[in-house]
Amino acid sequence: MLDALATSAAGRDGAPVLDVEGLSVSFRSAHGQLCAVRDFGCRIRRGEAMGLVGESGCGKSTVALAIMRDLPGAAVVTGGAVRLHGRDMAALSGEQLRQTRGKDVAMVYQEPMASLNPTLKIGRQLVEVLLTHESVGKAEAAERSLAMLEAVRLPDAARMMRRYPHQLSGGQQQRVVIAMALLSNPALLILDEPTTALDVTVEAGIVSLINDLRSQLGTATLFISHNLGLIKETCDRVTVMYAGEPVETGCVDDVFRNIRHPYTRGLVRSIPLATSDKETRPLVGISGQLQPVTQDSVGCSFAPRCEHAQDSVCRTADIAMQSVAGRAAHFSRCARLEAIDWGAGREPHAARARAEPGAPVAQVAELKKYYGAQAGGIAGFGEFVPVRALESASFEVRECETLAIVGESGCGKSTIARVLLGLEVATDGAVTLQGERIEARPVQQRTQATVSAVQMVFQNPFDTLNPSYSVGDQIQRTLERFCPELAAAERRARMLELLDMVKLPRAFAARMPGQLSGGQKQRVGIARAFAGNTRLVVADEPTSALDVSVQAAIIELLLSAQRDNGTAMIFISHDLSVVRYLADRVVVMYLGSIMEEGATAQIFAPPYHPYTEALLSAIPLLEDDARGGRIVLEGDTPSPMNPPSGCPFQTRCRYKAHVDGGHCESEFPPLRELGEGHGIRCFLPAALLAEMAPVFPQREEAEEASRRSGAPRLNRS
């Protein structure tokens, strides 16, 4: 199937598949026209992948929608042209455009369910694509659809054809959408954050799949993402956008190794790298906020946030893209391109002493949580089967310590958080908070002091604030609940101190949530979490919905607030780069059980549990030569309604053949102590564990490589 598609694609000439020249898009608003995209251009040839990166609101998705001619009604294309195989997209009639979309250009969105009809089976939706765009019969369409599902590595493709979208996992849904996009062999594939909502292991499989299909089919690809490591590993060229403008473009190696725009440098500084360290090399977020650009805006849009800006040079006239000396395909929109010392590092930060953990705040022992479900039943009929959301969890977290819990979706991370907060009660086991047993007490039955002691920072800052109350009122309501001894004037003073702590202007006390950005809302959420007598903060994916520059600021803010208040923190995340930077200890979970635990340095160095090794290998890295191969896990996580016997991971483990006696299939592995608090649940022989190679260099190795070469492996200065 793929060979035939590749043959049909091979006849195309070497001209660009996509040619965008001087594209400008504005949105009508009550305050006049706001510029969403200004002077954007790119050329993508057959088999080439170009990445598009930048903060939210920089115009990435607007570019994609303009290419598809699918802009909303308030948008106006004010200049430029978009050509697909030389044809001007603006000149196409409605019928021609309908035929072009899906056949010549296809798009994969961030949320796969937005592209799938929940009332139709997968097979019918795939067949409809071919019946709409090609002159084929139903039998041939079904055969080609089945072959494409096999090409995107979906297990038992024939069974998948008969399923509805809700019966598939998120990764399976995204593979179906990719199959749908590729069915008619489009010349151009646009990927708009296709892996953001997926686990890192699923993301690795999707990225590997896209790369393989692109090389075999010769599809030109536009990859939109805020993940610079992902772009580095998947794309040939990259364009960095800010405030609607491309500010730097070139080959990925040129752009990321020889940064030539202050905004690109700011993005890279915001990312945890192998050499990052929360004590000696903290992350540096980009100061300020992205400001809207109007038709009257002049000069560099990044100047208000740039440490190198000079008004007399940067804010007097529009700035054109300039060629970087010695690199023909590398361009930068910086008026001071030749004046800035790009090799100079940033001013060193004062080292902060390591916060020594104190007394235990929370202790979890053999915690279990089962839910009831009917297997194969309708309207309550059928056999009762327990859903084993949490099978075995034991750990403790201490004052001033950050314990990270990592693992794929459904492994039990959030279930632990819900039990700690009293939103669920445990089925078995014990949870002790400062000497008090709380596992069987829902939040309604907990004392005010207990509720105040455990607070949460949620993943989505948009849903955690009441839109009807001002920022100040919401913080004061928390203080009124948890600190009733404070008078009204004292509550207001404490509220202002909390705004200072999260580095928000005191004037924000009068603002409504709708007037805040995502990062500002998350800061308010952190202020509320620390408002009472908090002893344990549970942060559930608090940075996953934020841009990397905002993420850096929020991470540093959490660390600062934790140190100032002496609290313990449980940090739940699938971003292991952030975990490596932030956490003191790490717990790795799979299918409700803890498979490995230890200090962060132990978890990120061999020997690994096979699951931990796969998680680490799936991290998209920006560092050069930082990793050899990538381990792509086969299959999906088993259902907690029907877990495998023996080791939960044995159905996906690539080392299982090295264990004699069938222990993996028949016995739950006991915790093996490897020394100094590092333990794994695995039957692998000690000799094999000792031979494990690092997935990527440790911090010391990265620093030594930098010293030997005389320059950083990634020029993040």
Side-chain angles (χ1 to χ4, degrees):
M1 174 66 184
L2 288 180
D3 291 341
L5 290 175
T7 300
S8 68
R12 296 173 183 154
D13 57 32
V17 172
L18 176 68
D19 186 358
V20 182
E21 185 177 356
L23 178 66
S24 296
V25 180
S26 295
F27 283 83
R28 293 186 293 267
S29 74
H31 305 288
Q33 287 197 341
L34 299 178
C35 296
V37 175
R38 293 198 300 177
D39 192 29
F40 179 86
C42 72
R43 288 185 176 89
I44 309 177
R45 289 180 166 77
R46 179 179 174 274
E48 186 178 39
M50 192 189 84
L52 205 55
V53 301
E55 293 174 289
S56 299
C58 73
K60 305 187 299 295
S61 294
T62 302
V63 167
L65 294 175
I67 293 170
M68 296 282 289
R69 272 192 61 190
D70 195 24
L71 289 165
V76 180
V77 177
T78 58
V82 177
R83 301 181 185 88
L84 187 67
H85 276 315
R87 291 195 307 168
D88 188 349
M89 294 287 286
L92 299 183
S93 66
E95 178 59 27
Q96 289 174 322
L97 191 60
R98 191 174 77 87
Q99 288 296 325
T100 298
R101 293 177 185 153
K103 180 173 177 59
D104 296 320
V105 56
M107 190 164 177
V108 176
Y109 296 89
Q110 176 177 345
E111 174 49 59
M113 280 304 291
S115 304
L116 297 174
N117 188 327
T119 66
L120 299 180
K121 291 182 179 179
I122 296 300
R124 180 175 172 183
Q125 298 188 56
L126 290 167
V127 166
E128 281 186 353
V129 174
L130 290 171
L131 296 180
T132 300
H133 294 293
E134 299 190 24
S135 300
V136 297
K138 287 187 177 180
E140 183 181 347
E143 182 181 349
R144 288 176 58 179
S145 298
L146 180 64
M148 185 55 78
L149 286 185
E150 292 172 346
V152 298
R153 304 173 193 158
L154 274 172
D156 198 352
R159 181 169 56 90
M160 291 292 177
M161 293 274 285
R162 300 189 295 269
R163 288 193 163 192
Y164 288 94
H166 73 271
Q167 295 176 300
L168 277 60
S169 68
Q172 290 172 337
Q173 290 171 359
Q174 195 64 287
R175 288 171 187 260
V176 169
V177 172
I178 292 171
M180 192 179 297
L182 292 172
L183 259 178
S184 292
N185 189 24
L188 174 67
L189 179 64
I190 301 175
L191 303 161
D192 191 357
E193 301 277 9
T195 63
T196 298
L198 304 178
D199 291 313
V200 65
T201 51
V202 180
E203 177 184 77
I206 294 293
V207 168
S208 175
L209 168 67
I210 291 171
N211 285 338
D212 289 348
L213 292 175
R214 177 167 63 89
S215 63
Q216 294 180 57
L217 302 179
T219 310
T221 305
L222 178 64
F223 201 127
I224 298 171
S225 180
H226 67 272
N227 188 327
L228 274 66
L230 195 60
I231 294 296
K232 173 75 161 53
E233 294 190 353
T234 58
C235 295
D236 306 299
R237 294 186 296 114
V238 62
T239 294
V240 181
M241 292 189 69
Y242 181 81
E245 290 183 323
V247 296
E248 187 166 7
T249 186
C251 297
V252 289
D253 285 339
D254 280 349
V255 171
F256 291 137
R257 295 184 65 180
N258 300 282
I259 296 171
R260 288 299 181 270
H261 195 280
Y263 178 60
T264 309
R265 181 158 68 177
L267 287 178
V268 172
R269 282 183 179 178
S270 303
I271 301 171
L273 300 176
T275 53
S276 302
D277 183 272
K278 65 181 179 181
E279 271 86 35
T280 60
R281 291 184 175 87
L283 301 180
V284 181
I286 303 174
S287 61
Q289 299 290 328
L290 176 68
Q291 299 298 319
V293 179
T294 65
Q295 298 283 12
D296 300 327
S297 300
V298 177
C300 176
S301 302
F302 188 62
R305 306 173 70 184
C306 180
E307 60 184 333
H308 301 288
Q310 293 181 357
D311 287 351
S312 60
V313 177
C314 303
R315 311 192 73 170
T316 56
D318 288 340
I319 302 166
M321 295 289 270
Q322 307 173 56
S323 177
V324 175
R327 303 186 185 278
H330 189 180
F331 297 88
S332 172
R333 194 184 299 271
C334 181
R336 305 195 66 227
L337 179 62
E338 301 299 330
I340 297 174
D341 182 1
W342 299 103
R346 66 174 186 261
E347 288 297 319
H349 282 253
R352 23 182 204 205
R354 184 179 185 276
E356 294 298 330
V361 173
Q363 296 164 308
V364 175
E366 297 299 326
L367 186 63
K368 302 181 189 299
K369 176 61 183 176
Y370 299 166
Y371 296 94
Q374 303 295 139
I378 300 176
F381 296 98
E383 181 185 358
F384 174 82
V385 177
V387 178
R388 302 171 183 271
L390 198 59
E391 185 61 46
S392 176
S394 299
F395 59 83
E396 71 174 19
V397 57
R398 297 173 288 175
E399 294 174 348
C400 291
E401 181 182 53
T402 299
L403 174 73
I405 304 179
V406 302
E408 294 172 295
S409 298
C411 72
K413 305 187 299 292
S414 294
T415 301
I416 290 177
R418 294 176 67 83
V419 172
L420 285 169
L421 290 161
L423 303 178
E424 301 281 358
V425 295
T427 302
D428 197 4
V431 178
T432 305
L433 178 69
Q434 294 186 309
E436 178 186 5
R437 292 282 294 271
I438 61 172
E439 73 280 351
R441 292 166 54 192
V443 66
Q444 298 88 344
Q445 298 177 14
R446 294 185 178 183
T447 65
Q448 180 176 284
T450 302
V451 174
S452 174
V454 185
Q455 290 295 299
M456 189 163 187
V457 179
F458 294 89
Q459 176 177 357
N460 191 343
F462 301 94
D463 294 337
T464 58
L465 300 179
N466 190 324
S468 303
Y469 289 89
S470 69
V471 168
D473 284 343
Q474 297 198 50
I475 297 175
Q476 289 191 80
R477 284 164 63 89
T478 304
L479 290 167
E480 186 177 357
R481 169 75 187 278
F482 295 138
C483 304
E485 71 280 3
L486 297 180
E490 292 174 316
R491 285 198 299 271
R492 176 166 177 79
R494 174 61 178 155
M495 177 269 293
L496 295 174
E497 290 174 0
L498 287 165
L499 289 180
D500 293 340
M501 183 190 77
V502 297
K503 297 178 174 59
L504 284 177
R506 292 192 170 193
F508 274 42
R511 291 198 180 186
M512 306 300 286
Q515 298 174 287
L516 274 57
S517 68
Q520 290 168 344
K521 289 178 181 178
Q522 195 63 290
R523 288 170 186 259
V524 176
I526 294 171
R528 288 197 313 182
F530 284 92
N533 300 311
T534 308
R535 304 309 308 146
L536 174 64
V537 171
V538 181
D540 191 357
E541 301 277 11
T543 62
S544 64
L546 305 176
D547 292 310
V548 292
S549 58
V550 181
Q551 171 185 274
I554 294 299
I555 289 172
E556 292 302 309
L557 182 60
L558 280 169
L559 285 171
S560 176
Q562 180 190 25
R563 285 169 177 257
D564 292 345
N565 293 273
T567 57
M569 181 162 64
I570 293 178
F571 188 81
I572 298 171
S573 181
H574 68 272
D575 189 333
L576 275 77
S577 295
V578 173
V579 166
R580 177 173 57 173
Y581 174 80
L582 180 68
D584 300 300
R585 290 190 300 118
V586 181
V587 164
V588 181
M589 296 193 66
Y590 184 81
L591 205 63
S593 297
I594 293 178
M595 308 310 293
E596 185 169 6
E597 60 183 283
T600 304
Q602 294 169 333
I603 298 296
F604 282 81
Y608 309 108
H609 187 280
Y611 179 57
T612 306
E613 183 186 36
L615 285 179
L616 297 181
S617 80
I619 303 173
L621 298 175
L622 198 58
E623 295 97 322
D624 294 322
D625 304 321
R627 176 176 55 221
R630 169 175 276 183
I631 301 167
V632 177
L633 288 178
E634 299 296 332
D636 294 306
T637 306
S639 168
M641 292 180 64
N642 185 28
S645 60
C647 174
F649 188 62
Q650 54 99 353
T651 58
R652 304 170 75 189
C653 181
R654 66 188 189 127
Y655 292 105
K656 187 169 66 171
H658 295 278
V659 178
D660 298 327
H663 296 293
C664 296
E665 293 91 345
S666 60
E667 301 175 37
F668 184 77
L671 186 67
R672 293 171 60 182
E673 292 290 343
L674 302 181
E676 299 181 350
H678 184 198
I680 65 171
R681 295 187 183 276
C682 188
F683 290 113
L684 284 180
L688 183 60
L689 290 174
E691 293 174 0
M692 281 187 167
V695 172
F696 45 78
Q698 301 302 296
R699 183 171 292 123
E700 295 78 6
E701 295 174 350
E703 291 172 349
E704 178 60 27
S706 174
R707 284 193 293 269
R708 286 199 306 267
S709 65
R713 302 196 116 197
L714 174 73
N715 190 342
R716 61 179 295 165
S717 60

